[in-house]
Amino acid sequence: RRVHGQLVETSQREIKKEFCWIITTIIERKNQFIDFLIEQKIIIKGLFNFISNAENDVQIEVLVTFLAILKSENSSHISYLINEGCVPLICRLLNDTDPRVINDSLDCIDHILMLGSVTQVHNNENQNHFHLLFESVGGIESLEKLQTHANSEVSQKSQQIFEKYFGNQQLLVIDETIAPTVNSSGQFQFGTGFL
């Protein structure tokens, strides 16, 4: 725990980047590691500190780590990140000037909103709760502005996300290829249509 504390409190940029890279690499190879990260709250809190206060290249590494957790498609892991406050932080980064930061932020938002849509359908709810959270922190306005961004990848991705989740305010109809199943450990498993 002491080593974790020293790593997440470091002011050295390269150490922050390597720390995030190592965590992401382990997550991508061994998904069960996410449970360990959640138990070691100091690590996740360190990642939130990095994304809030670090340089762009460190923020990108944190976004890649978040994306690895989001791609786990485990609703409890994703809910943990959301409950810890990742949505407002990621939405704030949608206003960054670096297209790499914006693109990685858009990827994270896409996964979060997809889980919200899946949960909405799975629980037969009238609203996508993550949609509401995203809207409450100015995410929709940021998506609208990004549709005219000078970087074509940013503008296209923001248009796709906006159309997918906000183009029609009615209940999102999930494509058969991405309709989830829930396995015995509570993980959503998606078909081939999920990014």
Side-chain angles (χ1 to χ4, degrees):
R1 185 175 282 269
R2 190 174 146 208
V3 172
H4 298 155
Q6 290 173 343
L7 285 172
V8 299
E9 292 174 6
T10 185
S11 61
Q12 295 182 15
R13 189 169 121 210
E14 289 304 314
I15 292 175
K16 291 177 185 178
K17 287 173 59 178
E18 289 299 315
F19 179 72
C20 293
W21 181 83
I22 289 167
I23 290 173
T24 303
T25 302
I26 294 170
I27 289 170
E28 289 173 343
R29 293 190 180 151
K30 190 164 178 113
N31 218 340
Q32 303 89 315
F33 183 69
I34 300 171
D35 292 324
F36 171 79
L37 285 178
I38 291 171
E39 290 169 12
Q40 303 298 315
K41 294 182 189 314
I42 191 164
I43 295 173
I44 295 290
K45 293 206 183 297
L47 292 174
F48 276 89
N49 183 42
F50 290 173
I51 203 168
S52 298
N53 303 310
E55 303 83 359
N56 275 9
D57 53 346
V58 176
Q59 289 176 330
I60 290 169
E61 293 298 329
V62 175
L63 287 167
V64 170
T65 303
F66 283 175
L67 193 55
I69 294 171
L70 295 168
K71 285 182 176 180
S72 76
E73 299 174 359
N74 182 308
S75 59
S76 65
H77 295 159
I78 297 169
S79 294
Y80 179 81
L81 276 184
I82 292 168
N83 291 335
E84 288 296 309
C86 77
V87 174
L89 293 173
I90 293 170
C91 285
R92 192 188 84 227
L93 293 175
L94 290 174
N95 299 311
D96 198 272
T97 56
D98 187 337
R100 298 170 305 162
V101 171
I102 298 169
N103 272 315
D104 287 341
S105 298
L106 287 169
D107 287 338
C108 289
I109 292 299
D110 189 26
H111 278 77
I112 290 167
L113 292 172
M114 176 55 74
L115 175 66
S117 296
V118 168
T119 303
Q120 176 186 5
V121 170
H122 186 263
N123 295 339
N124 199 25
E125 297 173 339
N126 291 330
Q127 295 181 324
N128 177 337
H129 297 288
F130 297 155
H131 173 280
L132 297 173
L133 174 62
F134 183 70
E135 184 176 11
S136 74
V137 296
I140 293 177
E141 292 83 10
S142 295
L143 268 183
E144 289 173 335
K145 289 177 190 172
L146 290 174
Q147 292 179 43
T148 58
H149 196 276
N151 180 285
S152 63
E153 188 178 353
V154 167
S155 64
Q156 288 173 0
K157 194 178 289 187
S158 60
Q159 286 171 9
Q160 290 169 348
I161 292 171
F162 188 85
E163 289 170 11
K164 189 189 311 185
Y165 302 107
F166 306 102
N168 182 355
Q169 295 296 330
Q170 296 176 354
L171 180 68
L172 180 67
V173 177
I174 302 292
D175 185 325
E176 295 279 325
T177 62
I178 59 173
T181 58
V182 180
N183 67 18
S184 60
S185 64
Q187 275 187 298
F188 286 113
Q189 294 181 331
F190 297 89
T192 57
F194 188 71
L195 298 175

